Amino acid sequence: MNVQDRIDRRRSARREQSIVVDWTHLSPVVHRPEPIGRGPVLEQLLDAFEPVFDDELPEPVAVVGPPGSGTSAIVTALFDALDDRLGESSRPIETTTRAGGGTRVTSFVAVDARRVESAFAFYRTLLSALSPEPVPESGIGTGDLRDRLRERLDRPSRRAVVAIDHHDEPETLGYDRARQLLEPVTERVSTVAVGQDEPDGWTGETVSVPAYRHHELVDVLTDRASTGLAAGAVDHELVRDLAVWADGNAHDGLAALFTAARAASDAGADRIGAEHVQRAKASVPEGSVNVDRALAVSETRQRVLLDLVSIEARDRPIREVAAAISDRSELTTGTVKRFLYELADRGVIERVQLPGSGSGRRPSTVEPRFPTVVFQSLSSSTDVDMALD
DNA sequence: ACCTGGTCCCGGGCTCGGTTTT
DNA sequence: AAAACCGAGCCCGGGACCAGGT
């Protein structure tokens, strides 16, 4: 965002007497182009990628870190910057006729395995990152896309480093699967596995991202608050409190900060108070998963999740919950039921066993495992009046 | 044995590029 | 050049069937 935009935001926030200048700066799913306090990890990654500066492919690398440690944030920031320097965009128009094969290009593509699950989607994502022309979204075969990708990379001067982000979450594109899909272009592509753990049987190099220490997380939250909130809208002590509570998990910390801002803003308060922070903590479940995992599911499923948080689902068996949700939507009870089971498999919601009721198998209910208020605010299927500007 | 929860899978419809026919 | 058609992936509906409890 440029300076003009920042000034405009301030002015409109002031006019509307809002304590929030820009929600995106508070969002846990938006990454900073310059990660805070991650210098050492960036250096380690640059070491691992060193060969690209000699136009060689690096060896595969695994980047691992606990939830909320910012592995995705670091990799996306680094990949954006590297692609900017070494990718196609920085080079003059390629002169294919020139002797020597033209300039060498190394593209850096981070694939979000949460959103790219099928072979088709995988090839499509790579192709649209590697080629300037638009790639069809449907109406074309997977094999066709794979052939196009091979053609695209079938020149000695072209190579790509592909990160598979979130490869080790349930129902996402696994690292081995991605390697398998890349077999036709294996000479031109190196891969980076980004997740909480290394892929099974990993023998390559690993870069570990430690959880944030308390004072580092304070810096992260303060940085976001300083650009996202109006001046003096939050006390430093409250930010410290949040950082300690989040215990090194930047996602949880940001989700709570976002929710506290939402609560204060909805209440028309002129600053975030302790009571808002209190409520915010309560709306981030224990052992919460990243809200982006809920935001990555299809729109109809997101609507089911929104209904789930707005009905009273506690202690009611799945059958009843599904019926209640299908009453509010176009979907049949059977479909909602299936969705709920699938979402539980993905880890977005959690199944909790209920006491048995007479005969039959013991029922269970489902509870959200994501920060509900953040999800409600950011979901694409949210009603307009709830959505953010 | 019987009941209900939970899993799995497939047919059909939808959208949308690409291809053939008019 | 336009229209009709085809086939791709993806999503929803729904039913068959398996698992675990009384």
Side-chain angles (χ1 to χ4, degrees):
Chain A
M1 171 164 27
N2 62 33
V3 179
Q4 292 285 357
D5 287 339
R6 288 177 193 270
I7 293 170
D8 289 346
R9 295 272 187 182
R10 293 281 171 153
R11 291 182 66 187
S12 81
R14 202 150 188 92
R15 234 189 345 266
E16 290 156 30
Q17 298 193 323
S18 163
I19 62 164
V20 176
V21 177
D22 188 345
W23 287 101
T24 60
H25 289 291
L26 303 176
S27 166
V29 299
V30 175
H31 297 140
R32 293 288 210 205
E34 297 285 338
I36 294 209
R38 286 310 197 193
V41 176
L42 282 171
E43 288 299 331
Q44 281 184 61
L45 282 170
L46 284 171
D47 285 347
F49 293 150
E50 190 82 34
V52 302
F53 301 116
D54 298 322
D55 291 320
E56 302 285 331
L57 270 180
E59 292 296 308
V61 187
V63 184
V64 301
S69 60
T71 45
S72 302
I74 294 166
V75 171
T76 47
L78 183 61
F79 268 48
D80 284 350
L82 281 169
D83 194 61
D84 207 45
R85 283 278 184 277
L86 304 172
E88 190 132 44
S89 55
S90 66
R91 302 302 168 97
I93 293 157
E94 217 172 323
T95 48
T96 43
T97 50
R98 206 175 71 193
T103 44
R104 297 186 180 269
V105 174
T106 306
S107 301
F108 287 79
V109 188
V111 175
D112 183 356
R114 283 174 185 152
R115 291 179 167 79
V116 178
E117 295 171 53
S118 65
F120 182 87
F122 184 65
Y123 289 133
R124 213 191 91 73
T125 307
L126 291 183
L127 256 179
S128 36
L130 295 177
S131 63
E133 62 263 21
V135 184
E137 287 171 28
S138 69
I140 181 177
T142 304
D144 209 335
L145 279 183
R146 187 191 52 228
D147 295 343
R148 288 196 201 184
L149 179 67
R150 186 165 39 203
E151 277 169 39
R152 188 79 206 154
L153 284 169
D154 193 24
R155 262 171 290 163
S157 60
R158 295 204 55 106
R159 59 193 107 248
V161 181
V162 177
I164 318 297
D165 197 6
H166 314 116
H167 67 88
D168 57 350
E169 284 172 9
E171 315 289 318
T172 60
L173 179 78
Y175 181 72
D176 291 339
R177 174 94 177 112
R179 291 290 305 210
Q180 190 188 329
L181 293 174
L182 286 172
E183 227 141 67
V185 291
T186 194
E187 255 104 87
R188 297 272 175 274
V189 175
S190 183
T191 45
V192 179
V194 186
Q196 287 180 39
D197 292 300
E198 293 147 339
D200 291 337
W202 183 255
T203 53
E205 190 186 343
T206 298
V207 174
S208 292
V209 183
Y212 287 101
R213 284 176 290 182
H214 286 172
H215 72 272
E216 292 170 334
L217 192 46
V218 172
D219 287 349
V220 170
L221 296 181
T222 305
D223 170 58
R224 298 293 198 111
S226 71
T227 48
L229 296 173
V234 66
D235 211 73
H236 188 251
E237 274 312 304
L238 285 177
V239 174
R240 274 197 62 82
D241 178 49
L242 269 181
V244 172
W245 168 83
D247 196 26
N249 185 325
H251 165 266
D252 289 3
L254 281 168
L257 180 64
F258 186 104
T259 306
R262 182 97 225 173
S265 171
D266 289 350
D270 59 350
R271 59 208 320 269
I272 294 175
E275 69 276 18
H276 304 131
V277 170
Q278 210 51 45
R279 259 196 286 161
K281 288 178 187 171
S283 97
V284 181
E286 188 93 18
S288 168
V289 298
N290 197 305
V291 68
D292 192 52
R293 279 169 70 172
L295 293 169
V297 303
S298 72
E299 197 174 318
T300 38
R301 272 152 242 249
Q302 288 191 41
R303 225 171 278 134
V304 167
L305 287 175
L306 287 170
D307 286 335
L308 174 66
V309 301
S310 54
I311 65 170
E312 191 51 64
R314 196 163 266 287
D315 297 332
R316 295 168 74 190
I318 285 195
R319 179 176 38 83
E320 275 183 41
V321 175
I325 291 174
S326 88
D327 280 347
R328 319 169 116 236
S329 72
E330 306 284 301
L331 302 172
T332 64
T333 309
T335 298
V336 174
K337 188 187 85 162
R338 180 168 62 75
F339 279 10
L340 290 175
Y341 283 121
E342 285 173 3
L343 289 163
D345 282 343
R346 283 189 80 107
V348 173
I349 56 183
E350 187 164 25
R351 282 159 63 168
V352 181
Q353 275 223 333
L354 296 172
S357 57
S359 68
R361 208 167 161 175
R362 280 177 66 190
S364 51
T365 188
V366 285
E367 291 175 4
R369 264 181 89 190
F370 51 88
T372 50
V373 174
V374 182
F375 177 71
Q376 285 174 315
S377 303
L378 298 183
S379 173
S380 54
S381 48
T382 303
D383 297 338
V384 257
D385 61 326
M386 274 199 68
L388 313 166
D389 59 302

